[in-house]
Amino acid sequence: MIRLVRAEVRKLWTVWSTYVVFGIVVVIDLAFGFGLAYAPGGRRGGEAGIVPHGSSQWFVNIFSVLDNARLLALVLGVLIITGEYRHKTVTPTFLAEPRRGRVVTAKLGVGFGAGVLMGALTMLAGLVLGYILVALQVHSCLSLSGVSQGMSKAMCSAQPGLHQYFVANVHDMWHDWSQIAPGVILGTGLFAVYGLGLGALLKNQIVAIVVGLIFTLVIETIVGAIWPTIGEYLPGQAATALEDATRTTLRGNNPLLPWWGGAIMLLIYGIALALFGTFTTLRSDIT
């Protein structure tokens, strides 16, 4: 098994698509993070950009977009197994190890590790983003009339009515980042396992990616809106349950499992799909 795992690691880090996916993660994290950070403010609330800039809730909203890395982890998981069929390397792989279940098991382990690494990278990008925003000393003033961005502390104090002055600081940033980071890292790793299981079942790379993304972005949203008690057991909501801050910001009032329940559900999805694929589609003739 150790030999198989080493071989899978070597495969993963010698194909260009791995580096492309990891690079896209960083670009998306920074782009969406900066975009959300400077979204126009209006009143204090739970929607993106409608909280005082520089406040703790502001950092919560910014870091909540980092969980989008799980979608790319799903793509990475699909690529790990379907790439073998796409590039015709599956034949020598199964000749070297005819027991296909062992090959899938090795890929599951490597996929989880790669997903965790992707989660760590996305949170590192988020941390860099947070320090940049602190260095820029983003600030705002909250009063009865709403949120005013860029107002000085003296001008804020001179306003009539209740008011509070916010300046982005390391303490708030680090606190909110540390609350989200473990769940995002674990959720990204488990979503890669989920994607790998989906790829094992469908085998076709394009089909598996499209099905995975449509199910996560569209079907889960519809099911969650109509039947929220069912939606909380679906992969996307299970991953959301792993992130502490998203319970009170961008996800609305949909019920969520406890963090450990979300982790178990994601693991069940990934392993169940991989097992089903191993005993069905992967048993078919290659050529």
Side-chain angles (χ1 to χ4, degrees):
M1 182 58 71
I2 294 177
R3 175 180 59 85
L4 284 174
V5 171
R6 287 177 178 173
E8 293 301 328
V9 170
R10 192 175 299 114
K11 290 177 188 177
L12 183 63
W13 299 114
T14 52
V15 293
W16 62 269
S17 57
T18 302
Y19 299 95
V20 170
V21 173
F22 273 76
I24 292 174
V25 166
V26 175
V27 171
I28 289 178
D29 288 341
L30 294 178
F32 277 80
F34 274 113
L36 189 58
Y38 289 100
R43 65 181 186 281
R44 192 172 188 176
E47 296 293 330
I50 313 181
V51 293
H53 290 194
S55 66
S56 178
Q57 185 65 34
W58 181 67
F59 278 116
V60 168
N61 280 357
I62 294 170
F63 291 145
S64 68
V65 303
L66 300 177
D67 68 354
N68 289 321
R70 66 185 184 222
L71 296 176
L72 289 168
L74 182 149
V75 172
L76 181 64
V78 169
L79 293 177
I80 288 174
I81 192 162
T82 59
E84 297 268 22
Y85 289 89
R86 186 176 180 86
H87 300 290
K88 310 301 182 184
T89 59
V90 68
T91 300
T93 296
F94 287 154
L95 286 175
E97 177 51 80
R99 292 168 293 185
R100 301 184 183 186
R102 288 172 60 87
V103 174
V104 174
T105 301
K107 288 182 179 293
L108 285 172
V110 172
F112 176 73
V116 167
L117 183 60
M118 180 180 289
L121 180 63
T122 196
M123 290 312 304
L124 179 61
L127 188 62
V128 170
L129 171 63
Y131 276 115
I132 291 175
L133 294 174
V134 170
L136 293 175
Q137 295 185 328
V138 181
H139 55 276
S140 65
C141 177
L142 173 68
S143 68
L144 289 176
S145 60
V147 178
S148 301
Q149 313 299 345
M151 183 178 291
S152 68
K153 189 173 184 178
M155 293 177 63
C156 180
S157 301
Q159 283 196 120
L162 299 174
H163 55 265
Q164 189 172 357
Y165 188 70
F166 299 92
V167 180
N169 61 81
V170 174
H171 177 269
D172 287 343
M173 185 274 294
W174 179 259
H175 175 267
D176 296 332
W177 182 90
S178 63
Q179 290 292 311
I180 300 172
V184 170
I185 293 173
L186 179 58
T188 306
L190 292 175
F191 231 73
V193 172
Y194 167 55
L196 200 147
L198 193 62
L201 179 64
L202 300 177
K203 287 202 305 184
N204 186 286
Q205 189 172 102
I206 302 300
V207 172
I209 292 175
V210 170
V211 168
L213 293 180
I214 289 179
F215 186 83
T216 302
L217 296 174
V218 180
I219 296 178
E220 284 198 33
T221 303
I222 296 173
V223 173
I226 300 175
W227 302 289
T229 54
I230 296 176
E232 64 181 320
Y233 291 96
L234 298 178
Q237 289 298 311
T240 299
L242 286 169
E243 290 108 35
D244 175 78
T246 53
R247 294 178 183 274
T248 56
T249 54
L250 304 180
R251 304 300 178 179
N253 297 318
N254 290 338
L256 292 172
L257 297 170
W259 70 267
W260 53 266
I264 291 174
M265 287 306 303
L266 276 179
L267 194 60
I268 289 174
Y269 277 112
I271 294 178
L273 288 172
L275 285 175
F276 191 66
T278 300
F279 290 106
T280 55
T281 55
L282 294 186
R283 294 184 66 182
S284 61
D285 292 337
I286 299 171
T287 56

